[in-house]
Amino acid sequence: QSALTQPASVSGSPGQSITISCTGTSSDVGAYKYVSWYQQHPDKAPKLMIYEVSNRPSGVSNRFSGSKSGNTASLTISGLQAEDEGDYYCSSYTSTSTLFGTGTKVTVL
Amino acid sequence: QVQLVQSGAEVKTPGASVKVSCQASGYTFTGSYMNWVRQAPGQGPEWLGWINPNTGGTNYAQKFQGRVTMTRDTSINTAYMELSRLKSDDTAVYYCARERTHYSALDIWGQGTMVTVSS
């Protein structure tokens, strides 16, 4: 199974909103509610930001939101801040495995 | 607090095996599945599989079937991942990560263990 497809990079100015897409297939993203998003800073472990498409773990800012339509999931960051800069990965459950996305580098201009 | 602490960096030669440990604390070890994920330099994460610490049951990614073995020792709340017949492209940071609920998401991650395969 192939990795989920994400844009390589997305950028925005402080205070703006950005959206990162994650495209899969009807066997993964389109089939299950188990889509999650992770933030990763350099030389750090990934951090869970969104689970089950649109739920935020305790402690994650409400500036982060998730959604899904068909085979594509999206992560939106509102009110962009300097600390949001980093790599973001989506992930989806499949019937036999877990897939990760190709990753998106978010730059705050 | 809830945390996963992994063993230290390893350097191995091609063809060797490596075994990485992951000690859990702050929650009921047998209550959550443990996943293993690796990340090669400059690449995205890659899922290796999971183990159910309660039963010892496992599910491995097809790519690693026959090369990976996941085990656990419930007496010391520790999970292990062993990868055999190492190749240079197995060079990566290996993470253990707890499942929030089964299939849901990976909510707690270890600090990572760098495994370098080089002759």
Side-chain angles (χ1 to χ4, degrees):
Chain A
Q1 286 164 312
S2 301
L4 308 173
T5 301
Q6 299 180 232
S9 63
V10 173
S11 61
S13 299
Q16 287 187 328
S17 293
I18 61 170
T19 296
I20 303 168
S21 61
C22 169
T23 302
T25 70
S26 58
S27 297
D28 41 68
V29 173
Y32 305 98
K33 69 175 183 177
Y34 299 116
V35 175
S36 49
W37 289 90
Y38 302 88
Q39 175 193 65
Q40 189 175 32
H41 290 133
D43 298 320
K44 296 293 186 183
K47 175 187 175 184
L48 178 65
M49 305 302 284
I50 295 287
Y51 67 93
E52 292 174 21
V53 176
S54 59
N55 295 287
R56 278 187 311 276
S58 173
V60 171
S61 170
N62 60 8
R63 298 185 298 103
F64 291 84
S65 61
S67 62
K68 188 182 82 163
S69 178
N71 298 337
T72 299
S74 299
L75 173 72
T76 297
I77 309 175
S78 306
L80 200 61
Q81 298 180 1
E83 68 208 49
D84 300 332
E85 200 163 90
D87 295 323
Y88 290 79
Y89 297 95
C90 61
S91 179
S92 175
Y93 166 77
T94 78
S95 60
T96 57
S97 67
T98 293
L99 294 178
F100 285 93
T102 50
T104 298
K105 184 174 187 64
V106 169
T107 301
V108 181
L109 301 172
Chain B
Q1 75 279 26
V2 178
Q3 65 176 352
L4 302 173
V5 178
Q6 299 183 219
S7 49
E10 302 263 13
V11 178
K12 297 291 182 181
T13 53
S17 297
V18 68
K19 190 171 185 176
V20 179
S21 68
C22 169
Q23 186 168 40
S25 61
Y27 73 98
T28 302
F29 177 64
T30 53
S32 299
Y33 285 54
M34 189 72 77
N35 286 241
W36 289 89
V37 175
R38 76 178 186 181
Q39 191 168 23
Q43 303 298 311
E46 181 177 30
W47 180 77
L48 279 75
W50 54 249
I51 182 169
N52 177 347
N54 187 39
T55 65
T58 56
N59 179 35
Y60 303 142
Q62 188 172 15
K63 175 178 177 178
F64 300 101
Q65 293 269 1
R67 277 212 306 145
V68 70
T69 304
M70 296 176 188
T71 57
R72 91 293 190 213
D73 183 340
T74 56
S75 68
I76 55 172
N77 292 344
T78 299
Y80 302 92
M81 187 285 300
E82 183 170 22
L83 190 63
S84 62
R85 303 194 300 278
L86 289 169
K87 303 169 283 187
S88 58
D89 61 4
D90 290 319
T91 294
V93 177
Y94 288 75
Y95 294 100
C96 58
R98 185 188 78 164
E99 279 188 29
R100 183 185 164 277
T101 59
H102 196 30
Y103 305 136
S104 174
L106 306 177
D107 65 344
I108 304 295
W109 293 65
Q111 84 275 20
T113 296
M114 183 70 212
V115 175
T116 302
V117 183
S118 174
S119 55

